Amino acid sequence: MADFSRSSEPPALPEKRRVIKRLFAVGMLGGLALLVFGAYALRPCQIDRDLFFTVSSGQSLAAVAQTLHRDGLIADPLAFRVLARWHGQGRKIQAGSYRFAAGRYQPGAVLKVLVEGRVELVQCTLPEGMTALEVVRRCSAAGIGQVERYRVLFSDRDFLNALGVDALEGYLFPETYRFAPGVSESSVLTTMVTEMRRHLDNSLLTAAAEQGLNELQLLTLASIIQKEAGNVDEMSLISAVFHNRLKRGMLLQADPTVIYGLGNFDGNLTRTHLRTPTPYNTYVHRGLPPGPIANPGLDALRAAAYPADESYLYFVATGNGAHYFSKTLKEHNQAVRRYQLRR
């Protein structure tokens, strides 16, 4: 009689338990090793000086990680790559120049700076009254673009048409700008023109129109006022003089327009210069010159649109940064003898 009370198969449960225990032990050791590796590879790093770091356009994550490791910002390039990919940010690092101040950095913090594109910006301050050429020379000297590339854009009709201007002179708003290293010259100029457009709001353009000035004429007159004024308080009075002369059909006789038309000026304005018939010579041609002679600031723009309610027709420099204003030629000639001929 067959005995069905016992199984004919060998007992497997103890063997399965042994396998599970081995796998668990291996897993624990692997996990512990991973924790130890992670603690080492992702440990914070200390830098004792400010560090400048550049990510080139199209640079791989591996190359970025290797450079970070070489510069002492991360402990392990492989761990940094794993960290970046774990967070789905392996392809999100932005090109640019970065500055890491002396201090202690976690790999995650370094990655965040690069992904958010916290690039080190280059600053350039443009005073009121600079010409377009002076503007780009100052930008280039600050490390923002190259003069010759800017000058090519000065005559690039497609670029100018895209900005809605015939020329850049007068449209580069004086301001302190901050750009990322490597920014294109076209982006720099576009930013400045956009900033000028922002200040040429409807109220200013409407006030200018009431004075008989369109946008270009407003900028042109403002640029002359900017170059003539010794201080902001005088701008509306100088504006009144020019508006009064325009209404009477008188020559503006503004020295800065003559100088601009000459191009190369040695600092000594002569009678010959005053008679040189350049398009910008307001001693020869009536009305406003064909365009701005510099890039005016907001005070000059407002002065051009809101001249003082005065009947002055003349002014002369007094030698202390101010001007004396006159309503008649006789009074003006007396002021010239007083302030100019006796100096």
Side-chain angles (χ1 to χ4, degrees):
M1 183 176 178
D3 185 0
F4 295 102
S5 62
R6 295 181 180 177
S7 172
S8 60
E9 296 294 329
L13 186 58
E15 181 62 26
K16 287 183 179 179
R17 285 177 178 171
R18 284 194 293 271
V19 170
I20 291 173
K21 286 181 179 180
R22 290 193 189 101
L23 290 175
F24 180 76
V26 171
M28 287 291 290
L29 289 173
L32 182 60
L34 185 61
L35 287 174
V36 172
F37 171 76
Y40 170 78
L42 296 178
R43 72 186 188 278
C45 288
Q46 176 79 32
I47 55 174
D48 299 324
R49 68 190 188 286
D50 287 3
L51 178 68
F52 291 88
F53 180 81
T54 300
V55 177
S56 303
S57 179
Q59 191 172 16
S60 68
L61 174 61
V64 171
Q66 286 292 343
T67 308
L68 288 171
H69 176 60
R70 180 201 66 194
D71 291 345
L73 272 170
I74 61 172
D76 186 273
L78 175 60
F80 184 82
R81 289 161 56 191
V82 171
L83 178 68
R85 287 172 176 154
W86 178 265
H87 291 286
Q89 296 175 328
R91 297 181 181 273
K92 294 182 179 180
I93 291 176
Q94 299 188 39
S97 296
Y98 298 83
R99 182 177 71 88
F100 291 89
R104 189 176 177 86
Y105 289 91
Q106 295 281 353
V110 174
L111 178 63
K112 185 176 182 181
V113 168
L114 301 181
V115 169
E116 293 181 356
R118 299 183 203 166
V119 295
E120 178 75 359
L121 301 180
V122 180
Q123 178 173 304
C124 183
T125 298
L126 305 177
E128 295 86 349
M130 298 184 80
T131 65
L133 184 55
E134 289 170 337
V135 165
V136 299
R137 282 175 175 166
R138 176 166 288 213
C139 288
S140 181
I144 304 169
Q146 297 181 16
V147 173
E148 290 309 312
R149 292 180 181 176
Y150 283 118
R151 297 188 73 166
V152 169
L153 293 172
F154 283 6
S155 56
D156 186 329
R157 293 314 316 172
D158 290 337
F159 176 66
L160 297 176
N161 289 338
L163 292 176
V165 301
D166 290 327
L168 291 171
E169 193 73 87
Y171 281 92
L172 307 179
F173 190 76
E175 182 63 274
T176 294
Y177 294 94
R178 293 175 178 83
F179 295 103
V183 64
S184 69
E185 289 81 359
S186 60
S187 294
V188 172
L189 296 175
T190 299
T191 297
M192 294 176 182
V193 173
T194 301
E195 188 67 7
M196 179 62 82
R197 293 281 191 202
R198 187 175 71 82
H199 287 87
L200 292 173
D201 56 25
N202 289 334
S203 61
L204 189 63
L205 293 175
T206 299
E210 291 174 354
Q211 298 294 333
L213 303 174
N214 60 28
E215 179 183 279
L216 181 61
Q217 292 169 329
L218 170 65
L219 287 167
T220 301
L221 180 54
S223 71
I224 301 173
I225 294 169
Q226 185 74 67
K227 299 296 285 187
E228 288 277 20
N231 55 68
V232 172
D233 293 337
E234 286 188 339
M235 285 185 173
S236 63
L237 294 174
I238 291 175
S239 178
V241 170
F242 289 137
H243 275 286
N244 292 337
R245 294 177 77 92
L246 287 170
K247 289 174 183 177
R248 295 191 180 201
M250 298 173 65
L251 292 167
L252 293 185
Q253 296 182 320
D255 292 356
T257 66
V258 178
I259 294 170
Y260 184 83
L262 293 173
N264 295 322
F265 179 63
D266 62 6
N268 181 31
L269 190 64
T270 66
R271 291 184 181 276
T272 300
H273 291 149
L274 298 181
R275 291 192 294 266
T276 303
T278 72
Y280 288 87
N281 190 336
T282 55
Y283 281 82
V284 175
H285 303 291
R286 297 186 186 278
L288 291 168
I293 62 171
N295 293 280
L298 186 56
D299 290 320
L301 288 168
R302 287 173 174 165
Y306 300 98
D309 185 14
E310 298 286 353
S311 55
Y312 294 130
L313 292 172
Y314 309 91
F315 60 87
V316 63
T318 60
N320 61 356
H323 292 85
Y324 183 88
F325 295 84
S326 304
K327 297 178 181 180
T328 66
L329 181 58
K330 180 180 178 180
E331 183 185 3
H332 174 64
N333 288 335
Q334 291 173 345
V336 170
R337 287 193 294 270
R338 176 181 178 185
Y339 294 109
Q340 296 292 318
L341 300 183
R342 294 181 182 178
R343 292 172 58 184

